[in-house]
Amino acid sequence: MDFGLVLQTDPPAAQVISLMKRAERNGFRYGWTFDSAVLWQEPFVIYSRILANTQRLTVGPMVTNPGTRTWEVTASTFATLNDMYGNRTVCGIGRGDSAMRVAGRKPNTLARLGEAIGVIRDLAEGREADVDGQRLRLPWVKDGRLPVWMAAYGPKALALAGEKADGFILQLADPFLTEWMVKAVRKAAADAGRDPASITICVAAPAYVGDDLAHAREQCRWFGGMVGNHVADLVSRYGEHSGLVPEALTEYIKQRQGYDYSHHGRTGNPDTAFVPDEIVDRFCLLGTADQHIAKLRELKALGVDQFAVYAMHDAREAVIDAYGQQIIPALTR
């Protein structure tokens, strides 16, 4: 199993770079950041510095979207980083939540997202692609490689990930839901004539190591609110009891009142008081190192290839070090 670190690009950027260097020293192989241009600093500028200050780390957004940048600009940015640092990027992509809504736009349609996945990958790897009716190619790209991993929750998005993406990003660490969604992605891949095993499965969630469970829950409760945004979209699209979305995912948002993106992904988010302890425990990794190891082994048995640690809490350095000293060795030996 691989491990990644997920951060927001809050200033100063030097701190983000320092934490990514720390992660690499502790055995993490991926460095991810949020991508929302209004809420945080521009991640691609910071990726260049992370890559320059690490040797093996692969970096990318969790997640970008097809709407805030034109596709040829996204592809060219990735390709430039790859040319400079040797194919060490990955494109995490989704419909767009905070990046689009904060700017007053609706998230992208799945049809647009599916088209963008192929175009961005083709352009970044030096192939010709159609962008709004214009055939384009980046003539300077040589031996480029850009895996594109798609974030998804609902049935149509899961199917698209299986049909189009190189990897699937699931932003929660509940084994029951992980099993359900991984099966859906792999079935869609098989139905599309692809090898289901070729799709990398990445689970991303907050991780907090320690025996003060009450404190850990309060540090990570924000995550249930973030996931709740996507669940609310699914409920509005499919209905609460449609059978298309597991009730384990939809039941907890009944008390959800709204969401202020100025607190997005942050400890103490007042819009996440509705999230019960049970959901925090299910969606996150909390407790002692041994408890983390046990849950990660369960996820690994379900086909998870990477666990990406959201470190938006008061113990970022401690969790990076605990994973490096105790948890990563137990999952990679």
Side-chain angles (χ1 to χ4, degrees), residues 4-326:
L5 177 67
V6 189
L7 299 173
Q8 294 169 334
T9 51
D10 287 313
Q15 189 171 55
V16 177
I17 296 160
S18 176
L19 288 168
M20 290 298 185
K21 290 168 62 179
R22 190 185 196 112
E24 184 180 62
R25 291 196 303 270
N26 276 282
F28 289 76
R29 292 191 57 210
Y30 285 77
W32 302 93
T33 74
F34 282 37
D35 177 18
S36 190
V38 175
L39 296 176
W40 301 289
Q41 292 186 329
E42 172 54 42
F44 286 94
V45 176
I46 298 171
Y47 295 157
S48 189
R49 295 290 297 154
I50 294 171
L51 290 165
N53 282 275
T54 56
Q55 286 72 52
R56 300 171 303 280
L57 206 67
T58 294
V59 304
M62 190 178 281
V63 294
T64 193
N65 71 87
T68 52
R69 298 177 180 85
T70 61
W71 302 351
E72 69 273 18
V73 169
T74 299
S76 182
T77 304
F78 277 112
T80 300
L81 291 171
N82 284 338
D83 187 63
M84 293 171 68
Y85 299 105
N87 287 340
R88 290 169 55 200
T89 66
V90 56
C91 177
I93 195 167
R95 294 177 59 230
D97 180 29
S98 62
M100 297 297 285
R101 289 185 164 115
V102 167
R105 307 183 187 108
K106 292 182 179 180
N108 297 270
T109 65
L110 287 176
R112 183 169 175 79
L113 175 56
E115 184 181 359
I117 287 172
V119 168
I120 292 169
R121 183 199 292 123
D122 283 345
L123 290 175
E125 295 185 348
R127 295 183 294 277
E128 190 177 75
D130 188 301
V131 181
D132 297 327
Q134 182 73 28
R135 299 299 294 178
L136 298 178
R137 186 175 71 85
L138 306 181
W140 49 269
V141 174
K142 307 295 182 186
D143 302 318
R145 182 177 180 274
L146 182 66
V148 181
W149 298 4
M150 179 182 156
Y153 290 107
K156 292 182 179 178
L158 294 170
L160 180 62
E163 293 164 2
K164 299 280 189 180
D166 301 300
F168 163 51
I169 297 171
L170 173 57
Q171 291 163 305
L172 54 82
D174 176 68
F176 171 78
L177 292 168
T178 297
E179 182 177 21
W180 185 84
M181 293 186 185
V182 169
K183 284 181 177 178
V185 169
R186 288 183 167 161
K187 181 181 184 303
D191 290 345
R194 304 179 68 199
D195 177 6
S198 69
I199 299 174
T200 302
I201 307 297
C202 174
V203 162
Y208 200 102
V209 182
D211 54 12
D212 188 344
L213 188 56
H215 180 73
R217 284 170 175 156
E218 291 313 309
Q219 289 293 305
C220 299
R221 197 175 303 277
W222 63 266
F223 184 67
M226 188 183 84
V227 174
N229 291 337
H230 302 287
V231 176
D233 281 348
L234 297 178
V235 170
S236 67
R237 190 174 302 119
Y238 298 109
E240 186 178 338
H241 302 292
S242 64
L244 296 173
V245 182
E247 290 195 15
L249 191 59
T250 62
E251 185 68 21
Y252 84 98
I253 69 162
K254 288 181 178 179
Q255 303 302 316
R256 180 179 182 269
Q257 300 297 317
Y259 196 82
D260 180 351
Y261 279 92
S262 65
H263 306 290
H264 189 56
R266 299 189 186 280
T267 296
N269 186 336
D271 296 324
T272 62
F274 73 94
V275 180
D277 289 350
E278 178 193 3
I279 288 295
V280 182
D281 294 349
R282 289 181 66 168
F283 285 10
C284 304
L285 269 76
L286 311 176
T288 65
D290 286 342
Q291 288 173 310
H292 284 244
I293 290 167
K295 190 168 185 178
L296 286 165
R297 283 176 173 159
E298 189 175 1
L299 292 169
K300 184 177 180 180
L302 296 174
V304 175
D305 300 298
Q306 179 184 152
F307 177 63
V309 175
Y310 278 106
M312 278 69 80
H313 49 56
D314 65 359
R316 295 185 298 182
E317 292 87 352
V319 77
I320 292 169
D321 293 346
Y323 264 70
Q325 294 163 14
Q326 302 175 70

